[in-house]
């Protein structure tokens, strides 16, 4: 058992209100999972999970009796969400797993805190804490947390077979909390069960993989997943581990440029080797949102046309215009990461020019082609496809000239085009 000094999130009025409501009949409630783990490491606490022996219907009743909005999020598994303003609290009844069929574990509620800890995935996730900061540690999670050991509660192979999602969660938590080397029994169990991964839904795979990609150094863990023959079952396109390491470093610390930050879609694109069609296959497999799907495809479609320091200003502007700002930035960052990966000595001299290239792109606003259809009509071109053709011709010239020609110059060019076509 340990003791943690009260944290601001524990003392927050909304937390206190929820805790007071569900303990108002004298039944205990504790903080569990991520909030306890992160508070112990002095990392920011994202969401607050609470456990109690109270059954879900009683949790709802007590919340509502105290004027707190209660949502039966996963009532079959015993989870209720309490909402106060923008704060959400997940309250789960203590349980122990009775039988397991893949993700559909049959659960039974219990008042045994230890049994509840034993059904949790990793020792560092099995800690619980009272409202006054007393820590309960039934499976040695504290020591593991201190040493950066991500260990399954119980037999790793069995725990993965009960729920394959735990295999991906293992690597995700290892990316955030693990210190190498990883535990051999856990890795062996992951390797042995990796063929089960395709049974998971795309949404679940995406959820874990995108979070894993957001870790400070995802490349190390992904390399481990590759070595253990886990990654090919979900992402056979993964290839550029070194380049991803460089990108993650640039995004996090190497490059300090407002507007560039950690980005899971860019990191995914940086990791894989594929064209636009391959990107769409990944998007389908991971059930990516339309926005992420389009971005991934755009980055992969332009894999042969990266911005480079060898380009003139005009060429860069042209490419920027063609690719769009976002894809241009993504491709520039990936190109720079490749360069750093190939030659670790070159980069310091190149970082000034690369930063400048990115800075220009960030400040850039899309120039508007000065001519409209009415300009051609005014010169006597009749309605019809000719207008589009002529304007397209002038626009190409305007682009190649670095978008410098103004309305008058474009009009001259249009006149010249008309005359040459007529003569
Ligand atoms: P974070 O929210 O920072 O990702 P977390 O530990 O809070 O981390 P959640 O997914 O919110 O993770 O789950 C809360 C707790 O529920 C975990 O800490 C763990 O104890 C338990 N848990 C979640 N998923 C599983 C699972 N698949 N198998 C066993 N226990 C799980
Ligand atoms: Mg959580």
């Amino acid at each position: 058992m340990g003791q943690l000094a009260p944290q601001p999130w524990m003392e927050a009025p909304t937390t206190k209100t929820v805790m007071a409501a569900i303990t108002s009949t004298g039944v205990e409630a504790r903080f569990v999972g991520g909030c306890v783990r992160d508070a112990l490491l002095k990392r920011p606490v994202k969401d607050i999970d609470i456990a109690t022996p109270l059954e879900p219907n009683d949790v709802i009743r007590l919340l509502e009796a105290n004027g707190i909005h209660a949502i039966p999020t996963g009532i079959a598994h015993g989870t209720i969400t309490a909402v106060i303003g923008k704060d959400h609290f997940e309250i789960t009844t203590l349980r122990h797993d009775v039988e397991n069929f893949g993700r559909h574990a049959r659960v039974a509620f219990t008042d045994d805190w230890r049994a509840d800890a034993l059904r949790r995935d990793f020792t560092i996730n099995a800690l619980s804490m009272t409202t006054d900061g007393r820590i309960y540690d039934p499976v040695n999670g504290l020591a593991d947390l201190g040493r950066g050991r991500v260990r399954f509660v119980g037999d790793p192979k069995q725990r993965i077979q009960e729920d394959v999602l735990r295999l991906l969660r293992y690597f995700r938590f290892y990316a955030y909390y693990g210190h190498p080397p990883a535990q051999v029994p856990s890795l062996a169990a992951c390797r042995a069960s990796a063929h089960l991964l395709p049974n998971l839904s795309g949404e679940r795979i995406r959820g874990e993989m995108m979070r894993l990609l957001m870790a400070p150094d995802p490349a190390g863990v992904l390399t481990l997943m590759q070595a253990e023959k886990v990654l090919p079952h979900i992402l056979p396109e993964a290839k550029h581990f070194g380049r991803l390491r460089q990108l993650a470093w640039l995004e996090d610390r190497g490059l300090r440029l407002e507007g560039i930050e950690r980005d899971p879609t860019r990191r995914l694109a940086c990791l894989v080797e594929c064209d636009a069609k391959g990107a769409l296959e990944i998007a389908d497999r991971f059930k990516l949102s339309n926005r992420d799907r389009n971005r991934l495809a755009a980055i992969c479609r332009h894999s042969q046309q990266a911005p480079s320091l060898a380009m003139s200003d005009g060429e860069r502007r042209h490419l920027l215009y063609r690719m769009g700002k976002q894809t241009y930035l993504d491709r520039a960052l990936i190109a720079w990461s490749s360069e750093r990966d190939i030659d670790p000595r070159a980069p310091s001299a190149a970082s000034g020019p690369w930063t400048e290239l990115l800075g220009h792109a960030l400040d850039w606003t899309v120039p508007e082609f000065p001519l409209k259809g009415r300009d051609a009509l005014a010169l006597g071109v009749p309605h019809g496809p000719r207008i589009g053709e002529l304007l397209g011709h002038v626009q190409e010239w305007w682009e190649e000239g670095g978008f410098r020609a103004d309305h008058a110059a474009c009009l001259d060019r249009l006149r010249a085009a008309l005359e040459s076509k007529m003569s």
Side-chain angles (χ1 to χ4, degrees), residues 33-34 37 46-47 49 119-121 125 163 166 169 172-173 211:
R37 182 193 66 221
K46 293 186 299 283
D47 48 36
D49 297 314
R119 63 104 187 153
R120 293 179 182 271
D121 46 8
N125 287 350
D163 179 359
R166 290 175 188 151
R169 284 174 64 90
R172 195 240 301 178
F173 283 105
R211 278 197 264 184

Side-chain angles (χ1 to χ4, degrees), residues 237 272 274-285 288 293 295-301:
E237 299 86 349
V272 299
C274 66
D275 57 10
K277 185 164 160 281
L280 293 178
E281 279 166 28
I282 297 174
D284 285 343
R285 202 180 317 138
L288 293 187
R293 175 190 177 84
R295 255 192 82 198
L296 188 68
I299 303 174
C300 294
R301 182 176 310 119

Side-chain angles (χ1 to χ4, degrees), residues 62-321:
L62 290 179
L63 288 172
E64 286 176 348
N66 286 273
I68 302 168
H69 184 45
I71 306 171
T73 326
I75 198 153
H77 290 95
T79 304
I80 307 297
T81 305
V83 184
I84 307 181
K86 60 173 181 33
D87 292 342
H88 289 227
F89 302 83
E90 297 245 300
I91 304 160
T92 304
T93 304
L94 297 188
R95 43 183 241 219
H96 60 96
D97 290 340
V98 180
E99 270 175 64
N100 281 289
F101 301 101
R103 283 211 49 80
H104 303 286
R106 249 188 57 206
V107 294
F109 299 134
T110 174
D111 56 5
D112 182 350
W113 286 91
R114 193 181 150 74
D116 184 74
L118 290 178
R119 63 104 187 153
R120 293 179 182 271
D121 46 8
F122 307 110
T123 59
I124 59 170
N125 287 350
L127 296 156
S128 62
M129 178 170 68
T130 60
T131 43
D132 52 6
R134 258 179 310 134
I135 307 272
Y136 287 85
D137 178 20
V139 287
N140 268 323
L142 273 178
D144 286 343
L145 194 61
R147 298 205 173 87
R149 278 194 307 236
V150 181
R151 241 175 356 110
F152 285 90
V153 176
D155 175 51
K157 191 151 184 214
Q158 185 192 334
R159 300 309 309 283
I160 294 172
Q161 257 147 21
E162 287 165 7
D163 179 359
V164 194
L165 187 70
R166 290 175 188 151
L167 196 163
L168 290 183
R169 284 174 64 90
Y170 173 80
F171 288 104
R172 195 240 301 178
F173 283 105
Y174 186 71
Y176 286 91
Y177 301 95
H179 300 320
Q183 305 290 294
V184 173
S186 302
L187 281 183
C190 290
R191 184 195 266 259
S193 303
H195 63 281
L196 300 171
L197 281 175
N199 298 342
L200 286 173
S201 72
E203 287 86 350
R204 286 186 176 276
I205 297 180
R206 182 208 38 225
E208 288 304 324
M209 289 302 286
M210 295 311 238
R211 278 197 264 184
L212 190 156
L213 282 164
M214 284 294 270
D217 173 25
V221 164
L222 288 160
T223 306
L224 185 63
M225 291 171 80
Q226 183 77 357
E228 295 297 332
K229 300 192 165 38
V230 167
L231 200 54
H233 290 282
I234 43 174
L235 194 62
E237 299 86 349
K239 185 171 171 200
H240 301 290
F241 300 89
R243 176 168 96 170
L244 176 62
R245 169 167 287 119
Q246 296 298 333
L247 175 70
W249 182 81
L250 285 176
E251 285 178 342
D252 263 20
R253 279 161 294 149
L255 172 71
R256 292 195 183 273
L257 210 50
E258 204 173 326
I260 306 273
E261 49 223 18
R262 279 186 208 185
D263 183 315
T265 310
R266 185 192 299 134
R267 289 180 173 195
L268 179 60
C270 179
L271 173 65
V272 299
E273 167 88 18
C274 66
D275 57 10
K277 185 164 160 281
L280 293 178
E281 279 166 28
I282 297 174
D284 285 343
R285 202 180 317 138
F286 283 16
K287 299 270 182 311
L288 293 187
S289 67
N290 277 336
R291 193 177 155 274
D292 290 347
R293 175 190 177 84
N294 292 337
R295 255 192 82 198
L296 188 68
I299 303 174
C300 294
R301 182 176 310 119
H302 292 99
S303 58
Q304 306 303 323
Q305 303 166 264
S308 83
L309 297 183
M311 285 178 175
S312 69
D313 275 357
E315 286 170 325
R316 285 184 203 172
R317 267 198 301 272
H318 202 180
L319 194 61
L320 186 48
Y321 183 77

